[in-house]
């Protein structure tokens, strides 16, 4: 029985790579010949015809094809550096490749912000000889991929992070966590709030934030409700914008009650209006402590002017910049978006306001007390919370 003929099925990527080798001027002639052998064999040419076209003997053609069958394209093109060893890329060559991958393409004069493997490989092929790594002038994209994968480098991806731009981030975070730690001590083992002692001043702690730009959107045709032919609500793609509203809200961290105020605008006057809501809600003589971010409207001159009319009534604990995740009401807003605002359609802006207030009424029928658990173990509950009353004018 005759020996079975070697069959070559090249991918489009491999074919493009081999054709690049046949046109290269800086690589050895034998590498060019081997690339031609693989391309001709992939087209179905017999051994003798390949030998004639390339200008080498039949034995050399067979050797190249056997090496391809054993180890693929790279193995067929390049000789191993020593007997019994596969072709290798040195550590210096790998380091050079990784160094390029760890820079932006724009640094090398390209338009792109991040590398693709094809662009990175092309750059390596063109610049390897000048850098003293001639072997890399013919490296394949799959090899570059393997080298970077081994080094756990993915130059085509961007991973976003939030830079810590607040020099007092740690101290402010600690102060917020101290508020949550002291709150946790006000509940018994059954999760029930322990009433204030008569001789101590009550402090009502709220998590506060705003959600501006809630869009009032109307449909242009009626929704189609689920039936035997449709498993979901069907809605026309067209819609009509009716304007936006802003939601100002606080959650009482001792009772779980959510307190809303909806406004057409989002400014200091709206914020002051919310403070007045709190002032009328809680008994006179009690303190109202708010955990909130340091937005300009929260510390504006107009806000300070109002606070001077109610001295000692409000205390503020500010979260650090880019630390909004420390404010527990953020979780409430996220839940509200998923449960009520997502996909909402109304006929008027007033209807949107009514439905938001109705949502708060429904939530407050069975209020949920929010408890913070993350990173409280190292907080000393006996420490003093640093509060700001904003009662005096501060320099900017």
């Amino acid at each position: 029985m005759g020996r079975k003929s070697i069959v070559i099925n090249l991918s489009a990527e491999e074919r493009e790579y081999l054709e690049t080798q046949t046109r290269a001027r800086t690589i050895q002639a034998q590498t060019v010949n081997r690339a031609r052998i693989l391309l001709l064999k992939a087209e179905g040419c017999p051994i003798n015809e390949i030998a004639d076209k390339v200008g080498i003997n039949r034995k050399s053609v067979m050797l190249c094809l056997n090496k391809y069958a054993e180890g693929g394209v790279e193995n067929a093109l390049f000789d191993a550096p020593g007997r019994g060893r596969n072709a290798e890329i040195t550590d210096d060559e790998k380091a050079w490749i990784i160094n390029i991958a760890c820079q932006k393409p724009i640094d090398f004069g390209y338009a792109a912000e991040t590398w693709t493997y094809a662009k990175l490989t092309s750059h390596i092929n063109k610049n390897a000889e000048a850098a003293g790594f001639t072997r890399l002038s013919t490296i394949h994209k799959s090899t570059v991929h393997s080298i970077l994968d081994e080094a756990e480098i993915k130059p085509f991806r961007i991973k976003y992070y939030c830079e810590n731009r607040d020099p007092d981030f740690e101290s402010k975070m600690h102060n917020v966590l101290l508020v949550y730690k002291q709150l946790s001590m006000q509940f018994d083992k059954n999760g029930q709030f322990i009433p204030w002692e008569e001789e101590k001043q009550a402090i009502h702690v709220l998590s506060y934030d705003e959600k501006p730009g809630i869009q009032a959107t109307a449909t242009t045709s009626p929704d189609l409700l689920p039936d035997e032919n449709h498993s979901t609500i069907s809605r026309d793609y067209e819609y009509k914008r009716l304007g936006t509203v802003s939601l100002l809200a606080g959650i009482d961290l001792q009772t779980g009650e959510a307190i809303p105020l909806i406004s057409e605008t989002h400014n200091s006057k709206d914020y002051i209006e919310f403070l007045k809501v709190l002032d009328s809600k809680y008994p006179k003589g009690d303190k109202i402590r708010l955990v909130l971010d340091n937005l300009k409207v929260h510390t504006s001159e107009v806000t300070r002017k109002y606070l001077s009319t109610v001295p000692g009534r409000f205390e503020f604990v500010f979260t650090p910049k880019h630390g909004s995740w420390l404010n527990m009401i953020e979780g409430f807003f996220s839940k509200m978006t998923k449960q009520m605002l997502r996909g909402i359609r109304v006929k008027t802006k007033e209807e949107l306001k009514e439905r938001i207030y109705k949502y708060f009424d429904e939530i407050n029928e069975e209020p949920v007390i929010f408890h913070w658990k993350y990173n409280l173990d190292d907080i000393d509950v006996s420490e003093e919370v640093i509060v700001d009353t904003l009662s005096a004018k501060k320099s900017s």
Side-chain angles (χ1 to χ4, degrees), residues 1 9 31 33 132 145 189 261 276 321 323 338 351 377:
M1 182 178 294
N9 295 313
T31 303
N33 288 340
H145 184 287
K189 294 181 179 179
L261 176 66
K276 290 179 179 179
K321 293 180 181 178
K338 294 176 181 178
E351 182 187 343
D377 293 340

Side-chain angles (χ1 to χ4, degrees), residues 32-311:
V32 175
N33 288 340
R34 291 169 182 175
R36 291 184 62 196
I37 290 170
L38 297 179
L39 288 169
L40 289 168
K41 186 59 179 174
E43 294 174 0
C45 293
I47 303 298
N48 291 335
E49 184 178 340
I50 294 174
D52 290 339
K53 287 184 176 182
V54 179
I56 59 178
N57 58 52
R58 175 188 172 89
K59 183 177 180 181
S60 296
V61 174
M62 288 298 301
L63 179 62
C64 176
L65 296 177
N66 287 333
K67 290 179 66 179
Y68 171 82
E70 293 171 359
V73 171
E74 290 276 335
N75 191 56
L77 293 184
F78 306 108
D79 290 328
R83 182 175 298 176
R85 295 179 61 199
N86 293 326
E88 292 181 351
I89 295 178
T90 66
D91 290 340
D92 287 343
E93 290 170 333
K94 290 180 180 179
W96 185 69
I97 291 173
I98 292 171
N99 179 58
I100 294 173
C102 290
Q103 301 177 64
K104 291 184 176 182
I106 193 174
D107 296 336
F108 297 94
Y110 300 112
E113 182 75 9
T114 61
W115 292 107
T116 63
Y117 284 119
K119 191 67 177 179
L120 179 58
T121 303
S122 174
H123 178 82
I124 291 170
N125 292 156
K126 292 177 182 178
N127 295 276
E129 186 174 12
F133 303 110
T134 304
R135 160 72 179 84
L136 300 182
S137 62
T138 58
I139 193 172
H140 190 255
K141 183 170 68 174
S142 61
T143 306
V144 173
H145 184 287
S146 298
I147 291 171
L148 297 183
D149 195 50
E150 182 181 355
E152 298 184 350
I153 293 175
K154 294 177 172 50
F156 53 88
R157 290 185 180 175
I158 295 177
K159 182 178 181 181
Y160 291 93
Y161 72 99
C162 187
E163 184 177 348
N164 182 2
R165 296 184 179 91
D166 191 337
D168 300 320
F169 187 94
E170 293 296 329
S171 60
K172 290 180 179 177
M173 179 178 70
H174 180 84
N175 197 43
V176 173
L177 295 181
L178 178 56
V179 173
Y180 295 157
K181 181 72 171 184
Q182 291 180 351
L183 268 174
S184 68
M185 305 300 292
Q186 292 182 272
F187 292 87
D188 60 24
K189 294 181 179 179
N190 298 320
Q192 298 298 314
F193 182 72
I194 302 173
W196 294 97
E197 297 179 12
E198 292 186 4
E199 65 273 12
K200 289 188 177 180
Q201 185 181 33
I203 302 176
H204 306 277
V205 184
L206 294 94
S207 173
Y208 169 83
D209 201 5
E210 297 103 353
K211 190 175 181 65
I214 301 176
Q215 186 72 238
T217 308
T219 56
T220 57
S221 58
D223 290 343
L224 302 178
L225 299 180
D227 55 24
E228 62 274 9
N229 298 319
H230 303 89
S231 59
T232 62
I233 294 175
S234 298
R235 174 174 290 166
D236 183 50
Y237 283 103
E238 293 291 332
Y239 60 89
K240 183 178 180 181
R241 297 181 187 273
L242 305 175
T244 62
V245 299
S246 295
L247 169 63
L248 297 78
I251 297 178
D252 189 315
L253 300 181
Q254 293 149 333
T255 65
E257 181 182 359
I259 306 164
L261 176 66
I262 302 173
S263 172
E264 296 279 337
T265 56
H266 179 221
N267 54 38
S268 296
K269 291 183 178 179
D270 300 318
Y271 174 58
I272 292 171
E273 191 63 31
F274 184 84
L275 295 181
K276 290 179 179 179
V277 170
L278 298 183
D279 184 44
S280 62
K281 177 179 178 60
Y282 293 103
K284 300 299 181 181
D286 292 357
K287 283 189 178 295
I288 303 172
R289 180 177 293 172
L290 275 69
V291 177
L292 71 171
D293 59 29
N294 199 356
L295 195 65
K296 187 175 181 179
V297 298
H298 301 159
T299 58
S300 68
E301 187 65 28
V302 177
T303 300
R304 293 176 187 276
K305 185 176 180 180
Y306 163 72
L307 292 173
S308 66
T309 65
V310 285

